[in-house]
């Protein structure tokens, strides 16, 4: 059995060579494209302009249209451009339901390797589309050598798998981890030929290389194992012998599997022949068997060689680029139809040398990647081309493959884009000058508007102490008439305090013109509340409004970090607004609550105190709530208010590090809440 399997291994390796050639030819067809696009000035400019962006542009740009056209002409699956954060800024499928635009592929190894300056070839299941494919990536570098992003070409290898399936062979391709990612039979994809370590499983879960499904190992049989092959139990397919062959330039292996029962059947057949002829003509039977085996091997080898040559010819003839097969002296051995079409070569017998077809021609460029040059047709006309020269092995002989692609459209589009950039730069300069003129005029208008708002705010703030002064003067006149001189003296003290307050207001005009907080300290929260209640006491009595102060049961006062005068202004403004809201209705009521709130994070921030002023007025609608803190917005009748009290209170609260919020319901009233941090 081991001998039979060993004989089959030799033939299997030859057949695997054909499949490896088809796979490598498919990859080499697109190998040049990432480097070409990475060096395209339009791609470099697009990434440079969006280097600080972390999201995809809102509208598809010309770069996405360009990638779409190149993708269609190259026959690739998708082409997309990632910025340095791994976000897809431009993609050829921007107008499809499975667009890559905005997706972040920074977790993919092909992105990380390219950002490190190494072009990568990586097979994976698409994180967005769910379709498997081969990703070819290359770094996009600026003129200074900085890596701006990564250009990625995705190739669909499904057609190649289908060709393997039509051939009748059971073919696998595994990666460096032993995971099957290409197979002639779809159901064996994403199985492992060896147990996976915990680290490998974690890496697959992170990179989503093979989607979200788990990779299960195939069941390995103990019997019929060797260094040159492996045996697995593939469930309904039964025991299978798997031969492997490494793929040059990649950490992959190509596998061909054959049923173990086939070898057993061949062994039984040969054993029967040996038993049948051993009795009479042992020597003749052995000679016949050896001759038959050699003939069969030669025929099989000739057939495989013919199939391999036919397959290679078919691939070469059907490729979309011009291909020339050169000998070691760079003399043409074969040209495909696309090459004859590009250079208008009608003579089947005479081949032109590369030096006649491409100028400048440099044989030293072999293996260095894509090169730009000019193609020369048989009629003498010239056209821009991109060519690559790579060495191959044909048995013991050294040969070369020359790939030529017409880039006329790409060159014309490049020139058009450069001209458009020059026109755009001129227009930007004109618009910049216009914008600077408009900004100068706007700055002058804003200064005038700011002066008007500041004047209105000052008038509104001074009006409250003046009103209080008027109330105390009227009260003093009544008390003098009644000869209550002690009460009059108390009123004079209050009037003196109000005059001091007006003096402070005149010195703190910056409260309304810029930075308003003149310093903060640890102050009592009840003091400004009781000051406001005393200041507005006459209005409560006149308007017949009931005001109730509700304190926490745990303590009577709180110390908060704030500016005492600013805090008084806020409370007076909020209470004044509440009185205006309930004036003229029955059962007018205002409630003032002081509540202790928990810290935002335990042990990190101080506790907070909530001061809420709630009335049972008419309330406000959702639309009114959205504008309640805007300057000059008011729900009061014309002439009853300027609409600055709440706007000033909101701005003052921000200055002392407090939060001022509002909630309201039509028919139930309005509640303003001021939240401040405590100092104890």
């Amino acid at each position: 059995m081991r001998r039979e399997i060993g004989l089959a291994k030799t033939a299997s390796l030859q057949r695997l060579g054909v499949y490896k050639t088809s796979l490598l030819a498919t990859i080499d067809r697109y190998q040049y494209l990432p480097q070409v696009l990475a060096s395209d000035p339009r791609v470099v400019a697009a990434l440079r302009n969006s280097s600080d962006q972390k999201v995809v542009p809102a509208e598809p740009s010309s770069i996405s249209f360009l990638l779409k056209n190149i993708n269609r002409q190259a026959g690739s699956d998708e082409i997309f451009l990632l910025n340095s954060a791994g976000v897809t800024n431009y993609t050829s499928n921007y107008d499809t339901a499975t667009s890559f635009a905005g997706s972040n592929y920074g977790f993919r190894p092909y992105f990380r390797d390219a950002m490190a300056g190494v072009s990568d070839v990586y097979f994976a299941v698409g994180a967005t589309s769910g379709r498997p494919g081969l990703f070819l990536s290359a770094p996009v570098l600026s003129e200074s050598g900085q890596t701006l992003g990564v250009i990625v070409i995705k190739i669909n290898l499904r057609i190649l798998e289908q060709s393997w399936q039509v051939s009748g062979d059971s073919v696998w391709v595994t990666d460096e981890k032993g995971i099957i990612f290409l197979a002639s039979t779809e159901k064996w994809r994403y199985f492992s030929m060896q147990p996976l370590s915990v680290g490998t499983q974690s890496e697959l879960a992170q990179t989503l290389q093979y989607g979200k499904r788990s990779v299960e190992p195939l069941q390995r049989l103990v019997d019929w194992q060797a260094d040159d092959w492996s045996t697995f139990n593939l469930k309904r397919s039964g025991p299978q012998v798997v031969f492997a062959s490494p793929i040059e330039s990649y950490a992959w292996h190509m596998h061909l599997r054959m049923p173990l029962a086939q070898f057993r059947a061949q062994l039984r057949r040969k054993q029967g022949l040996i038993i049948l002829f051993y009795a009479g003509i042992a020597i003749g039977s052995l000679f016949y068997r050896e001759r038959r085996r050699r003939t069969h091997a030669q025929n099989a080898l000739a057939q495989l060689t013919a199939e391999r040559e036919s397959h290679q010819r078919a691939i070469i003839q059907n490729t979309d680029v011009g291909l020339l097969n050169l000998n070691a002296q760079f003399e043409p051995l074969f040209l495909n139809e696309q090459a004859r079409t590009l250079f208008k070569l009608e003579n089947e017998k005479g081949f032109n040398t590369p030096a006649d077809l491409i100028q400048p021609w440099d044989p030293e460029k072999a293996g260095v990647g894509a090169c730009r040059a000019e193609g020369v047709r048989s009629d003498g006309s010239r056209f821009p081309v991109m060519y690559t020269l790579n060495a191959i092995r044909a048995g013991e002989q050294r040969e070369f493959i020359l790939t030529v692609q017409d880039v006329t459209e790409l060159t014309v589009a490049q020139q058009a884009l450069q001209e458009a950039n020059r026109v755009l730069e001129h227009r930007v300069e004109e618009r910049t000058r216009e914008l600077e003129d408009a900004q100068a005029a706007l700055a002058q208008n804003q200064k005038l508007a700011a002066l008007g708002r500041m004047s209105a705010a000052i008038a509104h703030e001074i009006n409250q102490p003046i009103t209080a002064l008027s109330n105390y003067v009227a009260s003093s006149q009544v008390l003098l008439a009644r000869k209550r001189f002690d009460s009059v003296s108390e009123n004079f003290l209050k009037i003196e305090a109000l005059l001091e307050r007006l003096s402070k207001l005149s010195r703190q005009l910056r409260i309304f013109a810029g930075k308003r907080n003149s310093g903060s300290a640890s102050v009592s929260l009840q003091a400004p509340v009781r000051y406001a209640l005393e200041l507005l006491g006459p209005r409560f009595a006149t308007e017949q409004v009931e005001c109730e102060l509700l304190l926490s049961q745990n303590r009577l006062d709180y110390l908060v970090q704030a500016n005492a005068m600013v805090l008084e202004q806020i409370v007076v403004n909020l209470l004044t607004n509440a009185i205006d809201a309930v004036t003229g209705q029955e059962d007018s009521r205002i409630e003032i609550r002081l509540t202790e709130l928990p810290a935002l994070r335990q042990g990190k921030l101080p506790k907070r105190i909530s001061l809420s002023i709630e009335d049972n007025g008419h309330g406000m609608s959702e639309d009114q709530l959205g504008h309640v803190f805007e300057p000059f917005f008011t729900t009061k009748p014309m002439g009853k208010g300027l609409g600055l009290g709440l706007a000033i209170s909101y701005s003052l609260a921000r200055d002392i590090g407090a939060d001022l919020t509002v909630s309201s319901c039509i028919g139930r009233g309005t509640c303003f809440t001021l939240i401040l941090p405590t100092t104890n």
Side-chain angles (χ1 to χ4, degrees), residues 205-375:
Q206 180 180 2
T207 61
L208 299 177
Q209 181 177 5
Y210 300 117
K212 297 182 179 179
R213 58 170 291 181
S214 60
V215 178
E216 300 179 0
L218 297 175
Q219 182 182 358
R220 184 182 291 268
L221 295 180
V222 178
D223 298 330
W224 308 115
Q225 299 288 343
D227 294 336
D228 295 333
W229 66 80
S230 302
T231 308
F232 298 91
N233 183 8
L234 301 186
K235 300 179 181 179
R236 294 185 180 180
S237 299
Q240 302 279 319
V241 178
V242 180
F243 303 100
S245 177
I247 300 176
E248 295 78 10
S249 302
Y250 301 96
W252 302 341
H253 283 78
M254 181 79 72
H255 302 266
L256 180 68
R257 62 181 177 89
M258 301 176 65
L260 185 63
Q262 177 179 338
F263 295 103
R264 288 172 175 165
Q266 291 178 357
L267 181 62
R268 294 191 191 99
R269 185 166 56 251
K270 292 180 179 181
Q271 287 175 339
L273 292 174
I274 293 174
I275 295 174
L276 179 63
F277 290 97
Y278 185 78
I281 48 173
I283 297 178
S285 64
L286 290 175
F287 174 79
Y288 173 77
R289 175 177 175 272
E290 184 65 18
R291 185 174 181 179
R292 181 173 179 273
R293 187 188 66 80
R294 290 183 178 180
T295 303
H296 177 74
Q298 291 175 354
N299 293 337
L301 179 59
Q303 181 180 357
L304 286 175
T305 302
E307 291 177 355
R308 178 178 179 180
E309 292 179 355
S310 176
H311 195 187
Q312 291 176 340
R313 293 288 182 179
I315 293 174
I316 293 174
Q317 290 293 357
N318 293 323
T319 187
D320 293 335
V321 297
L323 291 178
L324 292 84
N325 185 198
L326 310 177
N327 60 15
Q329 291 73 37
F330 300 102
E331 297 173 348
L333 301 176
F334 171 77
L335 286 78
N336 71 344
E337 291 300 325
Q338 183 65 19
R340 293 185 178 277
T341 302
L342 283 177
F343 296 103
K344 296 183 179 180
L345 301 176
E346 300 179 355
N347 188 358
E348 294 290 339
K349 296 181 179 181
F351 288 171
N352 295 63
T353 63
D356 297 331
L357 300 177
I358 299 175
Q359 295 181 359
W361 163 251
D362 186 3
E364 299 299 327
K365 296 288 187 179
V368 301
C371 304
R372 281 185 174 271
E374 278 191 336

Side-chain angles (χ1 to χ4, degrees), residues 406-458:
D406 185 355
V407 293
T408 301
E409 295 183 1
L410 184 61
T411 304
V412 172
Q414 198 172 27
Q415 295 173 350
L417 180 59
Q418 293 174 351
E419 180 62 26
N421 286 338
R422 286 194 294 269
V423 174
L424 182 59
E425 290 175 358
H426 180 69
R427 294 182 61 187
V428 168
E429 292 176 357
E430 293 181 349
R431 293 294 185 269
T432 301
R433 288 193 296 270
E434 294 176 359
L435 181 59
E436 290 174 351
D437 295 339
Q439 285 178 335
L442 180 60
Q444 183 63 26
N445 292 335
Q446 288 178 338
K447 292 178 182 178
L448 296 176
L451 180 61
R453 288 195 299 268
M454 184 183 70
S455 301
I458 295 172

Side-chain angles (χ1 to χ4, degrees), residues 508-529:
Q508 295 182 355
L509 293 180
R510 58 178 179 161
I511 291 179
F512 309 102
K515 294 183 178 179
R516 296 173 180 153
N517 192 2
S518 59
S520 63
S522 179
V523 299
S524 168
L525 184 57
Q526 286 195 33
V529 173

